[in-house]
Structure formats: structure tokens, C-alpha cells
Amino acid sequence: EPEVTQTPSHQVTQMGQEVILRCVPISNHLYFYWYRQILGQKVEFLVSFYNNEISEKSEIFDDQFSVERPDGSNFTLKIRSTKLEDSAMYFCASSERGLGGYTFGSGTRLTVV
Amino acid sequence: AQTVTQSQPEMSVQEAETVTLSCTYDTSESDYYLFWYKQPPSRQMILVIRQEAYKQQNATENRFSVNFQKAAKSFSLKISDSQLGDAAMYFCAYRGRGGETSGSRLTFGEGTQLTVNP
């Protein structure tokens, strides 16, 4: 069964450093998403991406965050200057269409120290 | 804005028994999707079951079924013949119809931690 692949599975970074989280969506999917989950809290939407541009973003997704699809397979989330409160599990997801359900990756656990 | 509420932070069930997890939501839309996701200790998000609001028939996937009450905005998950592997955090989620060019967001509830006792 096709999977959404995320790397790395766990990343530790120092406060103020830039991090890039990587995702390889399912190959025929057209819509891509990032979500995050702070430990013990609900899963929160960050951003959706379609046709090489952001289609929707949440209030969490401020200027510190950016997304990019640098080639035909990768989808990345960049955090420019990490803060302690950015520590969370980050999930990438993709869907074939804009409607219905989608498939999540296994997540990247980001720890900011 | 849409909201999703799971009023049961924790539930427990005996192995082989049946358990029902509750979820309510609030929306002004008439067409939408509802989902239950399972998150085991590995923290991966696994789709358990989905329901399209325009369908009156309740969705079923093997031991998992839902009770979708559109007028009451209720979407409960029933797990029959519970197994030890069912132990996980369960999230209810809502997705509006959005559009073909927007890919609308999922809104999640707070989650219900299910324990299965042998």
C-alpha cells in the first residue's frame, strides 16, 4: 500500500536554528499538508499546498514557517528560527483530491533544546 | 469555524467486549466528511473509518462502525470484539467539502485514550 514517508523520524535542534522537515507524498497525490501535535494535545492544521502554492494556512503558520516542493517528489517544511514551543510531532499528509480523506506519514518528532 | 468535541478523555474496555467512543461537532455546512483516526504509542495517525455526510447509511469497517446522527451532529465510534491491539488514542476529525483547489483542512477533537484490559 502506498505510503507517505517522512524524514528524519526524530530531530533535535538548538533554539534559534533552522530546521527542514522532509516528506515524500504518495506519487499520484496532488494535495499536501502539514500538521503538528504538541505532546498531549490535539493535532493542529498548519498548511495545505496545491499546484505549487499554499492554498490555506492556519494562524500557527506565521513567517517563521515556509513550505516548498523543490522537485516532483519532495515536500518540505522549514522553520527558520526554532523556539522551544516548536517542539512537537510534525505530520505530513497527502491526498489525491481536495475532498475526502488523506494519508498521514509516520511523523517527525522535533525537539528544540 | 468548525469545532469537534470528544467528551471522554479516557475509556476502558475488557478484551472481546464492545466500547463506544463519542464525538460531537459543530458546523454550518451541509456537506462534509467525518473520520476516526487511531494513534498508537508510535504516534502514527491511522485512518480507522470515514463517513460522508450525504450518506445516510452508517459506515462499517470490520469490527469498527459508526453511529452518524446528522441532525444531532454526533458521530460515535463503536468497536466490537475489542482486541489488545485496539489500545490507542482515538481522534475524531471533521473535514469540510472545501473545493477542488483548496484541499480543506481536518479539524480534530481532543482525543480519547482507549485502554483494553485482558
Side-chain angles (χ1 to χ4, degrees), chain A residues 46-95:
Chain A
L46 291 177
V47 66
S48 60
F49 191 87
Y50 170 75
N51 199 26
N52 286 320
E53 62 183 22
I54 290 174
S55 50
E56 187 182 3
K57 60 183 181 180
S58 72
E59 54 281 358
I60 302 169
F61 195 88
D62 60 21
D63 292 343
Q64 289 286 87
F65 293 90
S66 63
V67 289
E68 192 178 32
R69 189 156 161 80
D71 52 43
S73 59
N74 291 284
F75 180 51
T76 62
L77 174 70
K78 182 192 290 186
I79 309 174
R80 287 191 183 81
S81 179
T82 50
K83 303 189 271 284
L84 294 176
E85 53 265 37
D86 292 328
S87 294
M89 195 77 160
Y90 287 81
F91 292 101
C92 174
S94 68
S95 65

